[in-house]
Coordinates of all heavy atoms in Angstrom, one line a residue:
M1 N 7.5 17.8 -18.7 CA 8.2 16.9 -17.8 C 8.6 15.6 -18.5 O 7.7 15.0 -19.0 CB 7.4 16.7 -16.5 CG 8.1 15.7 -15.6 SD 7.1 15.2 -14.2 CE 6.8 16.7 -13.3
L2 N 9.8 15.2 -18.3 CA 10.3 13.9 -18.8 C 10.2 12.9 -17.7 O 10.6 13.2 -16.6 CB 11.7 14.1 -19.3 CG 12.4 12.8 -19.7 CD1 11.8 12.2 -20.9 CD2 13.9 13.0 -19.9
V3 N 9.5 11.8 -18.0 CA 9.3 10.7 -17.0 C 10.1 9.5 -17.5 O 9.9 9.0 -18.6 CB 7.8 10.4 -16.8 CG1 7.7 9.3 -15.8 CG2 7.1 11.7 -16.3
L4 N 11.0 9.0 -16.7 CA 11.8 7.9 -17.0 C 11.7 6.7 -16.0 O 11.5 7.0 -14.8 CB 13.3 8.2 -17.1 CG 13.7 9.3 -18.1 CD1 15.2 9.7 -17.8 CD2 13.5 8.8 -19.5
G5 N 11.7 5.5 -16.5 CA 11.7 4.4 -15.5 C 13.2 4.0 -15.3 O 14.0 3.9 -16.2
R6 N 13.5 3.8 -14.1 CA 14.9 3.3 -13.7 C 14.8 2.2 -12.7 O 13.9 2.2 -11.8 CB 15.7 4.5 -13.1 CG 15.9 5.7 -14.0 CD 17.1 5.5 -15.0 NE 16.7 4.7 -16.1 CZ 17.5 4.1 -16.9 NH1 18.8 4.3 -16.8 NH2 17.1 3.3 -17.9
E7 N 15.7 1.4 -12.6 CA 15.8 0.3 -11.6 C 17.0 0.6 -10.7 O 17.8 1.5 -11.0 CB 16.0 -1.1 -12.3 CG 14.7 -1.4 -13.1 CD 14.8 -2.8 -13.7 OE1 15.7 -3.6 -13.3 OE2 14.0 -3.1 -14.6
E8 N 17.1 -0.2 -9.6 CA 18.2 0.0 -8.7 C 19.6 0.0 -9.4 O 19.8 -0.8 -10.4 CB 18.2 -1.0 -7.6 CG 17.2 -0.8 -6.5 CD 17.4 -1.7 -5.3 OE1 18.5 -2.2 -5.1 OE2 16.4 -2.0 -4.7
H9 N 20.4 0.9 -9.1 CA 21.8 1.1 -9.6 C 21.8 1.6 -11.0 O 22.9 1.6 -11.6 CB 22.6 -0.2 -9.4 CG 22.5 -0.8 -8.1 ND1 23.1 -0.2 -7.0 CD2 21.9 -1.9 -7.6 CE1 22.8 -0.9 -5.9 NE2 22.1 -1.9 -6.2
E10 N 20.7 2.0 -11.6 CA 20.7 2.7 -12.9 C 20.8 4.2 -12.7 O 20.3 4.7 -11.7 CB 19.5 2.3 -13.7 CG 19.5 0.8 -14.1 CD 18.3 0.5 -15.0 OE1 17.3 1.1 -15.0 OE2 18.5 -0.5 -15.8
S11 N 21.3 4.9 -13.6 CA 21.5 6.3 -13.5 C 20.9 7.0 -14.7 O 20.6 6.4 -15.7 CB 23.0 6.6 -13.5 OG 23.6 6.1 -12.4
L12 N 20.8 8.3 -14.6 CA 20.5 9.2 -15.7 C 21.4 10.4 -15.5 O 21.9 10.8 -14.5 CB 19.0 9.6 -15.7 CG 18.5 10.4 -14.5 CD1 18.5 11.9 -14.8 CD2 17.1 9.9 -14.2
R13 N 21.6 11.1 -16.7 CA 22.5 12.3 -16.7 C 21.7 13.5 -17.0 O 20.7 13.5 -17.8 CB 23.6 12.1 -17.7 CG 24.6 11.1 -17.5 CD 25.7 11.7 -16.7 NE 26.7 10.7 -16.4 CZ 27.9 11.0 -15.9 NH1 28.2 12.2 -15.7 NH2 28.7 10.1 -15.6
I14 N 22.0 14.6 -16.4 CA 21.4 15.9 -16.7 C 22.6 16.7 -17.1 O 23.5 17.1 -16.3 CB 20.7 16.5 -15.5 CG1 19.6 15.6 -15.0 CG2 20.2 17.9 -15.8 CD1 19.0 16.0 -13.7
G15 N 22.7 17.0 -18.4 CA 23.8 17.7 -19.0 C 25.0 16.8 -18.8 O 24.9 15.5 -18.9
T16 N 26.2 17.3 -18.7 CA 27.4 16.5 -18.6 C 28.0 16.4 -17.2 O 28.8 15.6 -16.9 CB 28.6 17.1 -19.5 OG1 28.8 18.4 -19.1 CG2 28.2 17.0 -20.9
E17 N 27.4 17.2 -16.3 CA 28.0 17.3 -14.9 C 27.1 16.7 -13.8 O 27.6 16.6 -12.7 CB 28.3 18.7 -14.6 CG 29.4 19.3 -15.5 CD 29.8 20.7 -15.0 OE1 28.9 21.4 -14.5 OE2 31.0 21.1 -15.2
I18 N 25.9 16.3 -14.1 CA 25.0 15.9 -13.1 C 24.6 14.4 -13.4 O 24.1 14.1 -14.5 CB 23.8 16.7 -13.0 CG1 24.2 18.2 -12.7 CG2 22.8 16.2 -11.9 CD1 23.1 19.2 -12.8
R19 N 24.7 13.5 -12.4 CA 24.3 12.2 -12.5 C 23.4 11.8 -11.3 O 23.7 12.1 -10.2 CB 25.5 11.2 -12.5 CG 25.0 9.7 -12.7 CD 26.2 8.8 -12.8 NE 26.9 8.8 -11.6 CZ 28.2 8.4 -11.5 NH1 28.8 7.9 -12.5 NH2 28.8 8.4 -10.3
V20 N 22.2 11.3 -11.6 CA 21.3 10.9 -10.6 C 21.2 9.4 -10.7 O 20.9 8.8 -11.8 CB 19.9 11.5 -10.8 CG1 18.9 11.1 -9.8 CG2 20.0 13.0 -10.8
T21 N 21.4 8.7 -9.6 CA 21.4 7.2 -9.5 C 20.4 6.7 -8.5 O 20.3 7.3 -7.4 CB 22.8 6.7 -9.1 OG1 23.8 7.2 -9.9 CG2 22.9 5.2 -9.1
V22 N 19.6 5.7 -8.9 CA 18.7 5.1 -8.0 C 19.6 4.1 -7.2 O 20.1 3.1 -7.6 CB 17.6 4.3 -8.8 CG1 16.7 3.6 -7.8 CG2 16.8 5.2 -9.7
V23 N 19.7 4.5 -5.9 CA 20.6 3.7 -5.0 C 19.8 2.5 -4.4 O 20.4 1.4 -4.4 CB 21.1 4.6 -3.9 CG1 21.9 3.8 -2.8 CG2 21.9 5.8 -4.4
R24 N 18.6 2.7 -4.0 CA 17.8 1.6 -3.4 C 16.3 1.9 -3.6 O 15.9 3.0 -3.5 CB 18.2 1.5 -2.0 CG 17.4 0.4 -1.3 CD 17.9 0.1 0.2 NE 17.8 1.3 1.0 CZ 18.7 1.7 1.9 NH1 19.8 1.0 2.1 NH2 18.6 2.8 2.5
I25 N 15.6 0.8 -3.8 CA 14.1 0.9 -3.9 C 13.7 0.0 -2.8 O 14.0 -1.2 -2.7 CB 13.6 0.4 -5.2 CG1 14.1 1.3 -6.3 CG2 12.0 0.5 -5.2 CD1 13.8 0.8 -7.7
S26 N 12.8 0.5 -1.9 CA 12.3 -0.3 -0.8 C 10.9 0.0 -0.6 O 10.5 1.1 -0.1 CB 13.1 0.0 0.5 OG 12.6 -0.7 1.6
G27 N 10.0 -0.9 -1.0 CA 8.5 -0.6 -0.9 C 8.2 0.6 -1.8 O 8.5 0.5 -3.0
N28 N 7.6 1.6 -1.2 CA 7.2 2.8 -2.0 C 8.2 3.9 -1.9 O 7.9 5.1 -2.2 CB 5.8 3.2 -1.7 CG 5.7 3.7 -0.3 OD1 6.6 3.5 0.5 ND2 4.5 4.3 0.0
K29 N 9.4 3.6 -1.3 CA 10.5 4.7 -1.2 C 11.6 4.4 -2.1 O 12.0 3.2 -2.3 CB 10.9 4.7 0.3 CG 9.9 5.2 1.2 CD 10.5 5.5 2.6 CE 9.4 6.1 3.4 NZ 9.9 6.8 4.5
I30 N 12.2 5.5 -2.5 CA 13.4 5.4 -3.4 C 14.5 6.2 -2.8 O 14.3 7.4 -2.4 CB 13.0 5.9 -4.8 CG1 11.9 5.1 -5.4 CG2 14.2 6.0 -5.7 CD1 11.4 5.7 -6.7
R31 N 15.7 5.7 -2.8 CA 16.9 6.5 -2.3 C 17.6 6.9 -3.6 O 18.0 6.0 -4.4 CB 17.8 5.7 -1.4 CG 17.1 5.2 -0.2 CD 17.2 6.0 1.0 NE 18.5 6.2 1.6 CZ 18.6 7.1 2.5 NH1 17.6 7.9 2.9 NH2 19.8 7.3 3.1
L32 N 17.9 8.2 -3.8 CA 18.6 8.7 -4.9 C 20.0 9.2 -4.5 O 20.1 9.8 -3.5 CB 17.8 9.8 -5.6 CG 16.5 9.5 -6.1 CD1 15.8 10.8 -6.6 CD2 16.6 8.5 -7.2
G33 N 20.9 8.9 -5.3 CA 22.3 9.5 -5.2 C 22.4 10.6 -6.3 O 22.1 10.3 -7.4
I34 N 22.9 11.7 -5.9 CA 23.1 12.8 -6.9 C 24.6 13.3 -6.9 O 25.1 13.7 -5.8 CB 22.2 14.0 -6.5 CG1 20.7 13.6 -6.5 CG2 22.4 15.2 -7.5 CD1 19.8 14.6 -5.9
D35 N 25.2 13.1 -8.0 CA 26.6 13.6 -8.2 C 26.5 14.9 -9.0 O 26.0 14.9 -10.2 CB 27.4 12.6 -9.0 CG 27.7 11.3 -8.2 OD1 28.1 11.5 -7.0 OD2 27.6 10.2 -8.8
A36 N 26.9 16.0 -8.4 CA 26.8 17.3 -9.1 C 28.0 18.1 -8.6 O 28.6 17.9 -7.6 CB 25.5 18.0 -8.7
P37 N 28.3 19.2 -9.4 CA 29.4 20.0 -9.0 C 29.1 20.6 -7.6 O 28.0 20.9 -7.3 CB 29.5 21.1 -10.0 CG 28.8 20.5 -11.2 CD 27.8 19.6 -10.7
R38 N 30.1 20.8 -6.8 CA 30.0 21.3 -5.4 C 29.3 22.7 -5.4 O 28.5 23.0 -4.4 CB 31.3 21.4 -4.7 CG 31.3 21.5 -3.2 CD 32.7 21.3 -2.7 NE 33.0 20.6 -1.5 CZ 32.3 19.7 -0.8 NH1 31.2 19.3 -1.3 NH2 32.8 19.2 0.3
E39 N 29.5 23.5 -6.4 CA 28.9 24.8 -6.4 C 27.4 24.8 -6.7 O 26.7 25.8 -6.5 CB 29.7 25.8 -7.3 CG 29.6 25.4 -8.7 CD 30.7 24.4 -9.1 OE1 31.5 24.0 -8.3 OE2 30.8 24.2 -10.4
M40 N 26.9 23.7 -7.2 CA 25.5 23.6 -7.5 C 24.7 23.2 -6.3 O 25.0 22.2 -5.6 CB 25.3 22.5 -8.6 CG 23.8 22.4 -9.0 SD 23.6 21.4 -10.4 CE 24.2 22.5 -11.6
K41 N 23.7 24.0 -5.9 CA 22.9 23.7 -4.7 C 21.8 22.7 -5.1 O 21.2 22.8 -6.1 CB 22.2 25.0 -4.3 CG 23.1 26.1 -3.9 CD 24.0 25.8 -2.7 CE 24.9 27.0 -2.4 NZ 25.7 26.7 -1.2
V42 N 21.7 21.7 -4.2 CA 20.7 20.6 -4.4 C 19.9 20.6 -3.1 O 20.5 20.5 -2.0 CB 21.4 19.2 -4.6 CG1 20.3 18.2 -4.7 CG2 22.2 19.3 -5.8
I43 N 18.6 20.8 -3.2 CA 17.8 20.9 -2.0 C 16.4 20.2 -2.3 O 15.9 20.3 -3.4 CB 17.6 22.4 -1.5 CG1 16.9 22.4 -0.2 CG2 16.9 23.2 -2.6 CD1 16.9 23.8 0.5
R44 N 15.9 19.5 -1.3 CA 14.6 18.9 -1.5 C 13.5 19.9 -1.6 O 13.5 20.9 -0.9 CB 14.3 18.0 -0.3 CG 15.3 16.8 -0.2 CD 15.0 15.8 0.9 NE 14.3 16.4 2.1 CZ 14.9 16.5 3.3 NH1 16.1 16.1 3.5 NH2 14.2 17.0 4.3
E45 N 12.6 19.7 -2.5 CA 11.5 20.6 -2.7 C 10.7 20.9 -1.5 O 10.2 22.0 -1.3 CB 10.6 20.1 -3.9 CG 9.6 21.2 -4.3 CD 8.9 20.8 -5.6 OE1 9.0 19.6 -6.0 OE2 8.1 21.6 -6.1
E46 N 10.4 19.9 -0.7 CA 9.5 20.1 0.5 C 10.2 21.1 1.5 O 9.5 21.8 2.2 CB 9.2 18.8 1.2 CG 10.3 18.1 1.8 CD 11.0 17.1 0.9 OE1 10.8 17.1 -0.3 OE2 11.7 16.2 1.5
L47 N 11.5 21.2 1.5 CA 12.1 22.2 2.3 C 11.9 23.7 1.8 O 11.8 24.6 2.6 CB 13.6 22.0 2.4 CG 14.0 20.7 3.1 CD1 15.5 20.5 3.1 CD2 13.4 20.6 4.5
L48 N 11.8 23.8 0.5 CA 11.5 25.1 -0.1 C 10.1 25.5 0.2 O 9.8 26.6 0.5 CB 11.7 25.1 -1.6 CG 13.1 24.8 -2.1 CD1 13.1 24.7 -3.6 CD2 14.0 25.9 -1.7
V49 N 9.2 24.5 0.1 CA 7.8 24.8 0.5 C 7.7 25.1 1.9 O 7.0 26.1 2.3 CB 6.9 23.5 0.2 CG1 5.5 23.7 0.7 CG2 6.9 23.3 -1.3
K50 N 8.3 24.4 2.8 CA 8.3 24.7 4.2 C 8.9 26.1 4.5 O 8.3 26.8 5.4 CB 9.1 23.6 5.0 CG 9.1 23.8 6.5 CD 9.9 22.6 7.1 CE 9.8 22.8 8.6 NZ 10.5 21.7 9.3
A51 N 9.9 26.5 3.8 CA 10.5 27.8 4.0 C 9.7 28.9 3.2 O 10.0 30.0 3.3 CB 11.9 27.8 3.5
D52 N 8.6 28.5 2.5 CA 7.8 29.4 1.8 C 8.6 30.2 0.7 O 8.4 31.4 0.6 CB 7.0 30.3 2.7 CG 5.8 31.0 2.0 OD1 5.3 30.4 1.1 OD2 5.5 32.1 2.4
I53 N 9.4 29.4 0.0 CA 10.2 30.0 -1.1 C 9.5 29.7 -2.4 O 9.2 28.6 -2.7 CB 11.7 29.5 -1.1 CG1 12.4 29.8 0.2 CG2 12.4 30.0 -2.3 CD1 13.7 29.2 0.4
V54 N 9.2 30.8 -3.1 CA 8.5 30.6 -4.4 C 9.5 30.1 -5.4 O 10.6 30.6 -5.6 CB 8.0 32.0 -4.9 CG1 7.3 31.9 -6.2 CG2 7.0 32.6 -3.8
P55 N 9.1 29.0 -6.1 CA 10.0 28.4 -7.1 C 10.6 29.3 -8.1 O 11.8 29.1 -8.5 CB 9.2 27.3 -7.8 CG 8.1 26.9 -6.8 CD 7.9 28.2 -6.0
S56 N 9.9 30.3 -8.5 CA 10.5 31.3 -9.5 C 11.7 32.1 -9.0 O 12.4 32.6 -9.8 CB 9.4 32.2 -10.0 OG 8.9 33.0 -9.0
V57 N 11.8 32.2 -7.7 CA 12.9 32.9 -7.1 C 14.0 32.0 -6.5 O 15.0 32.5 -6.0 CB 12.5 33.9 -6.1 CG1 11.6 35.0 -6.7 CG2 11.9 33.3 -4.9
V58 N 13.8 30.7 -6.7 CA 14.8 29.8 -6.1 C 16.2 30.0 -6.5 O 17.1 30.1 -5.6 CB 14.4 28.3 -6.4 CG1 15.5 27.3 -6.0 CG2 13.1 28.0 -5.6
P59 N 16.6 30.2 -7.7 CA 18.0 30.4 -8.1 C 18.6 31.6 -7.3 O 19.8 31.5 -6.9 CB 18.0 30.7 -9.6 CG 16.7 30.0 -10.0 CD 15.7 30.2 -8.9
S60 N 17.9 32.6 -7.1 CA 18.5 33.8 -6.4 C 18.6 33.5 -4.9 O 19.3 34.1 -4.1 CB 17.8 35.1 -6.7 OG 16.5 35.0 -6.2
V61 N 17.8 32.6 -4.4 CA 17.7 32.4 -2.9 C 18.6 31.2 -2.5 O 19.1 31.3 -1.4 CB 16.2 32.1 -2.5 CG1 16.1 31.7 -1.0 CG2 15.3 33.3 -2.8
L62 N 18.8 30.2 -3.3 CA 19.5 29.0 -2.9 C 20.9 29.3 -2.3 O 21.2 28.6 -1.3 CB 19.7 28.1 -4.1 CG 18.4 27.2 -4.3 CD1 18.7 26.3 -5.5 CD2 18.0 26.4 -3.1
P63 N 21.7 30.2 -2.8 CA 23.0 30.4 -2.1 C 22.9 30.8 -0.6 O 23.8 30.5 0.1 CB 23.6 31.5 -2.9 CG 23.0 31.4 -4.3 CD 21.6 31.0 -4.0
Q64 N 21.7 31.3 -0.2 CA 21.5 31.7 1.2 C 20.9 30.5 2.0 O 20.9 30.6 3.2 CB 20.5 32.8 1.3 CG 21.0 34.1 0.5 CD 19.9 35.1 0.3 OE1 18.9 35.0 1.0 NE2 20.1 36.1 -0.5
V65 N 20.5 29.4 1.3 CA 19.9 28.3 2.0 C 21.0 27.4 2.5 O 21.9 27.0 1.8 CB 18.9 27.5 1.1 CG1 18.3 26.3 1.8 CG2 17.8 28.5 0.7
E66 N 20.9 26.9 3.8 CA 21.9 26.0 4.3 C 21.8 24.7 3.6 O 20.8 24.1 3.4 CB 21.6 25.9 5.8 CG 22.6 25.0 6.5 CD 22.4 24.9 8.0 OE1 21.8 25.8 8.6 OE2 22.7 23.9 8.6
T67 N 23.0 24.1 3.3 CA 23.0 22.8 2.7 C 22.7 21.7 3.8 O 23.2 21.8 4.9 CB 24.4 22.5 2.1 OG1 24.7 23.5 1.2 CG2 24.5 21.1 1.5
I68 N 21.8 20.8 3.5 CA 21.4 19.8 4.5 C 22.0 18.5 4.1 O 21.8 18.0 3.0 CB 19.8 19.8 4.5 CG1 19.3 21.1 5.0 CG2 19.4 18.6 5.4 CD1 17.9 21.3 4.9
Q69 N 22.7 17.9 5.0 CA 23.3 16.5 4.8 C 22.5 15.5 5.5 O 22.1 15.7 6.7 CB 24.7 16.5 5.3 CG 25.6 17.5 4.7 CD 25.9 17.2 3.3 OE1 26.0 16.0 2.9 NE2 26.1 18.2 2.4
E70 N 22.2 14.4 4.9 CA 21.5 13.3 5.6 C 22.4 12.1 5.7 O 23.2 11.8 4.9 CB 20.2 12.9 4.8 CG 19.2 13.9 5.1 CD 17.8 13.4 4.6 OE1 17.5 12.2 4.7 OE2 17.0 14.3 4.2

């Protein structure tokens, strides 16, 4: 696992198509913004745990998982 320190409004890139930005830090909470291609599924890990989806099968299951907007 790669661990990076970032401050508000700083970003990191995953490959050439994904950008993760620290939008806000408030106390012990962090708001992240994720720019990724529309066809790439992005889902919070706790929703996978709640749905009892095993991480090793996530890629085959994600297209069936509803996209959640906050």
Side-chain angles (χ1 to χ4, degrees):
M1 174 186 298
L2 173 65
V3 178
L4 299 172
R6 299 278 76 197
E7 295 184 16
E8 280 190 28
H9 309 293
E10 291 185 334
S11 299
L12 62 94
R13 293 272 181 169
I14 302 171
T16 59
E17 296 185 327
I18 302 169
R19 182 176 63 201
V20 179
T21 303
V22 177
V23 176
R24 182 173 53 221
I25 301 171
S26 178
N28 65 349
K29 292 195 175 197
I30 300 171
R31 300 267 296 166
L32 297 175
I34 302 169
D35 292 313
R38 200 168 214 24
E39 63 273 5
M40 180 169 288
K41 302 293 182 180
V42 178
I43 188 166
R44 297 186 327 250
E45 186 172 9
E46 66 269 16
L47 296 178
L48 296 175
V49 171
K50 184 176 180 179
D52 198 28
I53 298 172
V54 179
S56 64
V57 299
V58 168
S60 64
V61 175
L62 279 180
Q64 302 167 12
V65 176
E66 181 179 334
T67 303
I68 297 173
Q69 301 289 329
E70 285 194 31

